[in-house]
Amino acid sequence: MAVNDFIRDNKDRFLNELLDLLRIPSVSADPKFKKDVFAAANFVKESLEKAGADTVEICETPGYPIVYGEKIIDPTLQTVLVYGHYDVQPADPYELWDSPPFEPVIKKTKIHPEGAIFARGSADDKGQFYMYVKAFEAMMASGDLPCNVKFMIEGEEEVGSDNLEKFVIENKEKLKADVILISDTHMISMQDPSITVGLRGMAYMEVEVRGSNRDLHSGTYGGAVANPINVLCDMIASMKDENDHITIPGFYDKVQELTAAQRERLNEAPFDLNEYQDKLDIEAVHGEKDYTTIERVGIRPTLDVNGIWGGYIGEGAKTVLPSKAHAKISMRLVPDQDWHEISELFENYFKSIAPKSVKVKVRAHHGGAPAVVSDSSVGYKAAEAAMEETFGKRPIPTREGGSIPIVALFQKELGSDPILFGFGLDTDALHSPNEHYGVKNYFMGIETIAAFFRQFRKLTDK
Amino acid sequence: MAVNDFIRDNKDRFLNELLDLLRIPSVSADPKFKKDVFAAANFVKESLEKAGADTVEICETPGYPIVYGEKIIDPTLQTVLVYGHYDVQPADPYELWDSPPFEPVIKKTKIHPEGAIFARGSADDKGQFYMYVKAFEAMMASGDLPCNVKFMIEGEEEVGSDNLEKFVIENKEKLKADVILISDTHMISMQDPSITVGLRGMAYMEVEVRGSNRDLHSGTYGGAVANPINVLCDMIASMKDENDHITIPGFYDKVQELTAAQRERLNEAPFDLNEYQDKLDIEAVHGEKDYTTIERVGIRPTLDVNGIWGGYIGEGAKTVLPSKAHAKISMRLVPDQDWHEISELFENYFKSIAPKSVKVKVRAHHGGAPAVVSDSSVGYKAAEAAMEETFGKRPIPTREGGSIPIVALFQKELGSDPILFGFGLDTDALHSPNEHYGVKNYFMGIETIAAFFRQFRKLTDK
């Protein structure tokens, strides 16, 4: 097939271009990388232009811009909207990376015998959205683009997509499409391809506990004045009971309970607990009582401390009774929990359990709604057929623990279920040191995307 | 009196010399200040020589040196041994200082209307041990040194005095004295002078809790894999019960319970709870049930987290499920708790409460024994008389919450109770940002020390 020939003929270039993109440290959470985030937006714009898009714009927002591009071959034909993000998670702690996070290298691993690209953003999401740019280029170059295509690549996904909602609402007509594709999730394995049909939502909070108005000597005051770290630990501990059930009143009120049959089907996905534990080097998993690991991640909400700090954290010992302690705490949510409501329940509860000896502050960072997408839409069927074509196996529908808050936004504002067409693996160390993305996954993804366009055209043509 | 005249005539110089010493950032806990700690030792050596000591040596140890100096006017006369330390606590967090911690400035405060010196180490302990150097100089200059004097000024007090014990044991003859003076504690106020007769001991631990072998994506793994921060919070929370009683088995076994009469006497010291709370800007104190604030600090052991860290602590939000969490935890001890034993009880308990889903590490930083010193020795009587002479009021014997582990060492190895002759105030922000020491306290201290020498000679001369 001409498209696949073009992909094969341009393999080195397709890979090197991605490495160039990965060299830009576009960390949206940290203002010191501001220039780089803008540079990444520009890189995306130029890539789309070179690939053959007619219109490409950098759409400014109060934060980082959204890159929009399109190729309308025939207004009467179907249109595919692609969403991705060019920003990446912070790379800290840097010392745990085997190679610098923004100097991509390709190394073979047990799971990726043909090599994987090690770099922050390789899988999340530069390596994945860039597959669409290259598939598009290959289809254009071989004269075989079967549908219209629109790109919307944003730069604030890792910090809550604060400006995307407004953009989507204001540009509904421009973004109109018959199907939305997002590759920002993972599949089970190269042998067991899968398509995500459920995602968790999120509410991300930051708290401060203050004891005295200044750091104190732990000898002179210890035992008599509240230690905000001890108090914060008490408060965090009291947010879960002995079954790891979250104790915030009302927290589970809107959680959809699955039927026994649904839970059974969910647990049919291939999963080996020993292998899972071995890979993480843990002796036991840890989670809510009476749920399996697949369920704990797929259909149950969580409360995790993502960061904690207070007092003296340098070398050696300092006998300080600190004035303040802080924590970043996020909750993954499931349908039909509402993140605004959960943020409020958290705040009220946190304030209610604070002892009189401290003052507390709570603020919500960002959040997003959980989502379940249909596995019977035409788009899903086309994705299923495309994966079957390239992987030789029908993909399994799965529920993933991560959050892509914009899925619910697209459902609401653009009126269609996005296809969560992930090609990475859960072992690719997303958000961790040594994030990587299989070279084979990258090229299989490009081919599968091209196959999707053909299948979608076929299934929608009457 | 000639001595006091000399002190008054040299006021500016006495103050400026202290400021020079305070400019040396001799932070023993942080290796990056190594050069400065040695520089401070040298400063002490030169000061003693200038003041009139005969022999001054910098005694090397595997860590920071001990500065020894002496003036033996007559071997048949009484000898006073002075102990102090030239190292200081780390100054972090720097941003909370109103002026840089190693650029001393003098500012008036409500409690110090005649001005206080703001600098790290101003009260703990440079400003206090340096009073002895100046009192010694004044007595020498005015031909009025009534006893022999020996100085032992170390550089590792803030990191556990690791090398002092060996030095003391190996130099018992050299250090032989009739009384030991230490000014490293505080008094109640300028209106209510006091002498410390009890100090708490300490066991300082550091713990690590590890979940998975790498940082994980909190979406993909959250809810299914142990979060070491949540686990650490649970573990810390479970180390105290609802009455703030420490739950480590055996922890209280050796705690001396005071009689009702002893507790009553202890609570007779002037103490205003509202004023205490106002100064700290807290709405309530926080401590062990059924004990007063004075008791919680003076006669009860504690367990305080001095530092905690884990996960993402930068700006913004990162949805990481971290691999590790850490805490520095210290326990203040009271007679007859043994810090080696308590460190072991802590370690065993911490390991016993760790869930199977994590691995924990525990290490002991340093520790020291609690101490109670006699209020009926000749040395104590001389100190009492000296304070009455300068402050016009008989000092109150008090128990302080801090720790000076070497007190117990001196009792054991040198066979005498040191006099804890502190002139700072508990509001001087020791170990905190904006540490300061009253200019008046400094000079009153110098005069009182000179008075002590006279009183001690008088009371011991037959």
Side-chain angles (χ1 to χ4, degrees):
Chain A
M1 209 172 302
V3 173
N4 288 350
D5 289 345
F6 186 88
I7 296 168
R8 265 184 288 270
D9 292 346
N10 289 277
K11 238 178 156 163
D12 287 352
R13 182 171 60 81
F14 278 17
L15 191 57
N16 286 326
E17 283 175 20
L18 173 58
L19 301 190
D20 284 341
L21 175 57
L22 291 170
R23 286 189 185 98
I24 306 172
S26 47
V27 180
S28 50
D30 188 339
K32 84 166 181 265
F33 294 104
K34 194 169 173 179
K35 203 168 51 63
D36 304 296
V37 186
F38 280 100
N42 211 49
F43 187 104
V44 176
K45 174 177 176 280
E46 289 175 6
S47 301
L48 285 171
E49 283 167 348
K50 277 185 218 155
D54 285 334
T55 317
V56 187
E57 311 164 57
I58 290 198
C59 310
E60 297 300 337
T61 76
Y64 291 118
I66 293 156
V67 184
Y68 177 82
E70 61 175 39
K71 177 71 194 179
I72 308 298
I73 47 169
D74 178 348
T76 66
L77 277 179
Q78 296 85 339
T79 302
V80 176
L81 173 64
V82 174
Y83 164 84
H85 64 93
Y86 60 82
D87 65 322
V88 300
Q89 276 279 312
D92 334 53
Y94 278 70
E95 67 274 18
L96 295 185
W97 285 76
D98 295 330
S99 57
F102 300 107
E103 297 174 22
V105 291
I106 294 171
K107 283 186 295 192
K108 289 179 183 173
T109 72
K110 210 174 140 194
I111 295 172
H112 298 288
E114 298 177 42
I117 309 155
F118 283 79
R120 169 57 84 232
S122 54
D124 180 13
D125 178 49
K126 287 173 174 172
Q128 295 215 70
F129 89 75
Y130 204 67
M131 299 184 306
Y132 290 87
V133 182
K134 294 297 104 179
F136 168 53
E137 181 187 327
M139 292 185 283
M140 286 294 287
S142 52
D144 190 20
L145 180 66
C147 316
N148 300 314
V149 60
K150 295 176 176 179
F151 286 88
M152 172 171 59
I153 313 296
E154 70 150 324
E156 298 184 309
E157 200 273 343
E158 300 293 3
V159 288
S161 300
D162 282 350
N163 295 297
L164 193 73
E165 183 170 0
K166 189 160 171 277
F167 180 82
V168 167
I169 292 170
E170 286 177 358
N171 293 281
K172 275 189 194 174
E173 197 49 42
K174 186 184 211 163
L175 300 171
K176 210 173 148 82
D178 299 286
V179 67
I180 305 171
L181 294 184
I182 305 178
S183 292
D184 197 17
T185 49
H186 58 75
M187 56 182 190
I188 298 170
S189 70
M190 294 299 264
Q191 293 71 46
D192 293 298
S194 59
I195 297 175
T196 304
V197 294
L199 283 166
R200 291 193 286 191
M202 182 158 61
Y204 200 114
M205 316 294 290
E206 187 158 332
V207 299
E208 175 189 294
V209 176
R210 206 209 79 172
S212 64
N213 53 1
R214 59 186 166 91
D215 284 4
L216 300 173
H217 187 298
S218 76
T220 315
Y221 292 93
V225 175
N227 180 324
I229 306 180
N230 287 75
V231 171
L232 177 59
C233 289
D234 284 350
M235 292 173 75
I236 289 171
S238 78
M239 298 186 103
K240 289 191 192 178
D241 67 16
E242 67 281 12
N243 297 324
D244 260 306
H245 210 69
I246 295 154
T247 54
I248 299 171
F251 187 82
Y252 291 97
D253 283 3
K254 296 198 177 161
V255 170
Q256 275 185 17
E257 298 290 343
L258 271 67
T259 63
Q262 284 173 314
R263 288 178 64 177
E264 209 172 294
R265 201 156 58 241
L266 195 69
N267 284 303
E268 279 166 9
F271 178 77
D272 181 329
L273 185 62
N274 287 329
E275 195 188 317
Y276 184 84
Q277 292 183 166
D278 281 356
K279 274 183 192 160
L280 299 172
D281 187 23
I282 55 177
E283 277 176 47
V285 291
H286 191 118
E288 195 181 359
K289 209 180 161 208
D290 299 330
Y291 290 92
T292 65
T293 294
I294 287 179
E295 290 171 337
R296 285 168 175 173
V297 164
I299 59 168
R300 300 299 295 172
T302 66
L303 184 149
D304 269 306
V305 184
N306 302 108
I308 194 166
W309 68 102
Y312 182 68
I313 61 177
E315 276 296 304
K318 185 176 194 289
T319 47
V320 64
L321 198 168
S323 167
K324 288 178 184 174
H326 298 87
K328 294 179 196 271
I329 302 173
S330 69
M331 291 157 285
R332 296 281 171 172
L333 310 179
V334 300
D336 298 316
Q337 288 179 298
D338 176 279
W339 76 270
H340 296 285
E341 193 180 316
I342 292 291
S343 299
E344 204 180 309
L345 289 176
F346 177 97
E347 179 168 349
N348 293 341
Y349 183 61
F350 197 79
K351 287 179 174 168
S352 77
I353 59 174
K356 210 183 141 200
S357 53
V358 299
K359 295 177 171 69
V360 303
K361 283 186 194 164
V362 180
R363 77 184 167 105
H365 264 292
H366 62 74
V372 170
V373 300
S374 163
D375 58 1
S376 57
S377 65
V378 183
Y380 187 87
K381 299 286 175 207
E384 204 170 44
M387 269 197 151
E388 201 166 354
E389 191 182 319
T390 48
F391 286 88
K393 198 168 176 182
R394 194 169 168 219
I396 302 161
T398 56
R399 289 208 182 200
E400 191 169 314
S403 306
I404 309 181
I406 42 83
V407 170
L409 170 71
F410 293 167
Q411 287 176 324
K412 187 175 157 219
E413 299 300 337
L414 301 178
S416 77
D417 274 5
I419 308 303
L420 301 168
F421 214 22
F423 295 92
L425 304 181
D426 73 341
T427 48
D428 286 345
L430 277 67
H431 292 208
S432 303
N434 302 313
E435 175 179 351
H436 55 280
Y437 188 45
V439 173
K440 186 171 179 183
N441 301 59
Y442 179 60
F443 287 107
M444 288 285 277
I446 296 173
E447 286 184 25
T448 307
I449 288 161
F452 174 89
F453 274 77
R454 277 196 305 280
Q455 294 288 350
F456 189 66
R457 171 78 182 267
K458 199 167 91 182
L459 289 173
T460 48
D461 261 359
K462 281 283 156 292
Chain B
M1 210 173 304
V3 173
N4 289 349
D5 289 344
F6 186 87
I7 295 168
R8 264 185 288 271
D9 292 346
N10 289 276
K11 237 177 156 165
D12 287 352
R13 183 172 59 81
F14 278 16
L15 191 58
N16 284 327
E17 284 176 20
L18 173 58
L19 300 189
D20 284 341
L21 175 57
L22 292 170
R23 285 190 185 98
I24 306 172
S26 48
V27 179
S28 51
D30 188 340
K32 83 165 182 266
F33 294 103
K34 194 169 175 179
K35 205 168 51 64
D36 304 296
V37 186
F38 280 99
N42 212 50
F43 187 103
V44 176
K45 174 176 176 281
E46 289 175 5
S47 301
L48 285 171
E49 283 167 347
K50 278 186 217 156
D54 286 332
T55 317
V56 187
E57 311 164 58
I58 289 197
C59 309
E60 297 300 336
T61 75
Y64 291 118
I66 294 156
V67 183
Y68 176 82
E70 61 174 38
K71 178 70 193 179
I72 308 297
I73 46 169
D74 178 347
T76 67
L77 277 178
Q78 297 85 339
T79 302
V80 176
L81 172 64
V82 175
Y83 164 84
H85 63 93
Y86 60 82
D87 64 323
V88 300
Q89 276 278 314
D92 331 55
Y94 279 68
E95 67 274 17
L96 295 185
W97 286 77
D98 295 330
S99 57
F102 299 107
E103 297 173 23
V105 290
I106 295 172
K107 283 187 294 191
K108 289 180 183 172
T109 72
K110 210 173 140 195
I111 296 171
H112 297 289
E114 297 176 44
I117 308 156
F118 284 79
R120 169 58 83 232
S122 54
D124 180 14
D125 179 46
K126 288 173 173 172
Q128 296 214 70
F129 88 75
Y130 204 66
M131 299 183 307
Y132 290 87
V133 182
K134 293 298 103 179
F136 167 54
E137 181 187 327
M139 292 186 281
M140 287 292 287
S142 51
D144 189 20
L145 180 67
C147 317
N148 302 314
V149 61
K150 295 176 175 179
F151 286 87
M152 172 171 58
I153 313 296
E154 71 150 323
E156 299 184 309
E157 200 274 342
E158 301 293 3
V159 288
S161 299
D162 281 350
N163 296 297
L164 193 73
E165 183 170 1
K166 189 160 170 277
F167 180 83
V168 167
I169 292 171
E170 287 176 359
N171 292 281
K172 275 189 195 175
E173 198 50 42
K174 185 185 210 162
L175 300 172
K176 210 174 148 82
D178 299 284
V179 68
I180 305 170
L181 295 184
I182 305 177
S183 292
D184 197 16
T185 49
H186 59 76
M187 56 183 189
I188 297 170
S189 70
M190 295 298 264
Q191 294 71 46
D192 293 297
S194 59
I195 297 176
T196 303
V197 295
L199 284 166
R200 290 192 286 191
M202 182 158 62
Y204 199 115
M205 316 295 290
E206 186 158 331
V207 299
E208 176 188 294
V209 176
R210 207 209 80 173
S212 64
N213 52 1
R214 58 185 165 92
D215 283 4
L216 301 173
H217 187 299
S218 76
T220 314
Y221 292 92
V225 176
N227 180 324
I229 305 179
N230 288 75
V231 171
L232 177 59
C233 289
D234 284 350
M235 292 173 75
I236 289 170
S238 78
M239 298 185 104
K240 289 191 192 177
D241 67 16
E242 66 281 13
N243 296 325
D244 260 306
H245 211 68
I246 295 155
T247 54
I248 299 171
F251 187 82
Y252 290 98
D253 283 2
K254 296 198 176 162
V255 170
Q256 275 184 19
E257 299 290 343
L258 270 67
T259 63
Q262 285 173 312
R263 288 178 65 177
E264 208 172 294
R265 202 156 57 242
L266 195 69
N267 284 302
E268 280 167 8
F271 179 75
D272 181 330
L273 185 62
N274 287 329
E275 195 188 316
Y276 185 84
Q277 293 182 165
D278 281 355
K279 274 182 193 162
L280 300 171
D281 187 23
I282 55 177
E283 276 176 48
V285 292
H286 190 119
E288 195 181 358
K289 208 178 162 211
D290 299 331
Y291 291 92
T292 66
T293 294
I294 287 179
E295 291 170 338
R296 285 168 176 173
V297 164
I299 60 169
R300 300 299 295 172
T302 66
L303 185 148
D304 270 305
V305 183
N306 302 108
I308 193 165
W309 68 104
Y312 182 69
I313 61 177
E315 275 297 303
K318 185 175 193 289
T319 47
V320 65
L321 198 167
S323 167
K324 289 178 183 174
H326 298 86
K328 295 179 194 271
I329 301 174
S330 70
M331 292 157 286
R332 297 281 171 173
L333 310 178
V334 300
D336 297 317
Q337 287 180 298
D338 177 278
W339 75 270
H340 295 286
E341 194 180 315
I342 292 291
S343 300
E344 205 180 307
L345 290 176
F346 177 97
E347 180 168 349
N348 292 341
Y349 183 61
F350 197 80
K351 288 179 175 168
S352 77
I353 60 174
K356 210 183 141 198
S357 54
V358 300
K359 296 177 170 69
V360 303
K361 284 186 194 163
V362 180
R363 77 184 167 103
H365 263 292
H366 62 76
V372 170
V373 300
S374 163
D375 58 1
S376 57
S377 66
V378 184
Y380 187 87
K381 298 286 174 206
E384 205 171 43
M387 268 196 152
E388 201 166 354
E389 191 182 318
T390 47
F391 287 89
K393 198 168 176 182
R394 195 170 167 216
I396 303 161
T398 56
R399 289 208 180 199
E400 190 169 315
S403 306
I404 310 181
I406 42 82
V407 169
L409 170 71
F410 292 167
Q411 287 176 324
K412 187 176 157 219
E413 300 299 339
L414 301 179
S416 77
D417 275 2
I419 309 304
L420 301 168
F421 214 21
F423 294 92
L425 304 181
D426 73 341
T427 47
D428 286 346
L430 275 69
H431 293 208
S432 305
N434 302 313
E435 175 179 352
H436 55 280
Y437 187 44
V439 173
K440 187 172 178 182
N441 301 58
Y442 179 60
F443 286 106
M444 289 284 277
I446 297 174
E447 286 184 24
T448 308
I449 288 161
F452 174 90
F453 274 78
R454 278 194 306 279
Q455 294 287 350
F456 190 65
R457 170 78 183 267
K458 200 168 89 182
L459 290 173
T460 48
D461 262 0
K462 281 280 156 296

